[in-house]
Amino acid sequence: MVENTTPQNPKRIVVLGGSYSGVSTAHYLLKHAVPQLPDKESYQVIVVSASSKAMCRPACPRALISDDMFPQEKLFVNIPQAFEQYPGGSFRFIEGTATQLNNVNRTVSITLPSGNTEDIGFFALVIATGAATPSPLLGLNRDVEYLRESWATFRKALPKAKHIVIAGGGPAGIETAGELGEYLNGRAGWFSSMPAHPRVSITVLNASWKILPALRPALAKKAEAYLAQVGVTVMNNSRVKSVMPEGAGTVDVASKARITLDDGSTLDSDLYIPAMGTKPNTSFVPKDLLTPNARVSTNASTLRVDAAGPRIYAIGDVSSAARPAVHLILEAIPILCANMKRDLLLASSNTTANEKASFGEDRVFKEDTRETQMVPIGKSKGVGAAMGYALPSWLVWLIKGRDYWLWTTGALWSGKQWAKEK
């Protein structure tokens, strides 16, 4: 254990969020920004997260079925332990939820598990709070205990279910349908398009004319064929209007539900999983800093929140700078951190005028808008594209489907992915 040498009145760099964006930003700053500052001992990086553990959220569609699907010690990783490698006093972890940002006074209020509130003044701030899923089965909306409780409740009800309805034709909905379909119904044989005797009827409700809107129509059609092989039916142009009882699928994950569509038709389900998009975690952010869809209004080139004042940034699903995607987050981390380092150097009282002139220009982030997305459908199939090129099913399995990225997250959570400055 490194000796704690927390500086008096530290310049706090507060990172709100303990997932891909937040953990990566904190590691990168501690490795490549803070050590290069003239008064590096005066800085402290603080990560605030509602959960003391980070998790591989993309794995939820498979992980929700059983703990046997993944090694739990790889699926959930302790955040404070991942930062014990840094000098004592340079890092602090706070388990809590941001409830109010005052960008004028440069403070953020954190509600702790005890119910008490801690107000933290910051010298720099990174908003990386991500987005919440409508179903508590599909993300770390609170802490690990809440997620595990939701999974346990769902698993208890699963053996008795005869009809499951999943609302949402994006990756989360399609992946969840594929995993449940293969687990419950098996997969059709070589010369069959669907299982001969499916045990459970599984229906995907998709509001659009095709599933997987980020991928080309041919890949969406291929995905529907793979879903049919595990007993899943897709209903396109079917928008959910209401669900009864209220809270089915969102509060009570084991509740039966009656789903009414916008054309007036209804479906009854033994289990209902809403998987229609996500909601940015921005309730604590002043409204004048948000876009109409509740994301933080972010400079798409520099990743600063220009309207919030100096040294405030946003990244990941919560930011308007790019569409939500892990590969775009990883591309943005070095850009944000380089620009923050430049801002911190410019703000340092120990920096001479000549040194300030040598800091150069901002690094610029540019979103890669090429077709890139991989969607496993069960344990052996999948569709996807990378950088505009369609991928064969076996390659989707190799890259993502075999363990839903778990082979990559160890280096990310530990900071080894950011060992070299990029």
Side-chain angles (χ1 to χ4, degrees), residues 37-94:
L37 299 175
D39 48 352
K40 60 183 179 181
E41 293 82 7
S42 66
Y43 291 89
Q44 183 182 55
V45 174
I46 299 175
V47 169
V48 179
S49 176
S51 172
S52 63
K53 292 186 178 181
M55 76 161 298
C56 181
R57 189 172 87 171
C60 282
R62 185 176 296 166
L64 65 85
I65 295 173
S66 168
D67 283 354
D68 295 333
M69 293 294 179
F70 299 108
Q72 296 300 293
E73 71 278 6
K74 291 184 178 180
L75 187 62
F76 299 101
V77 175
N78 185 281
I79 298 174
Q81 288 179 5
F83 286 87
E84 290 178 351
Q85 60 191 284
Y86 300 106
S90 65
F91 175 81
R92 180 188 174 199
F93 176 78
I94 299 176

Side-chain angles (χ1 to χ4, degrees), residues 100-117:
Q100 185 173 11
L101 167 63
N102 188 324
N103 57 294
V104 177
N105 294 337
R106 302 182 70 78
T107 62
V108 61
S109 299
I110 308 299
T111 297
L112 306 175
S114 64
N116 295 330
T117 299

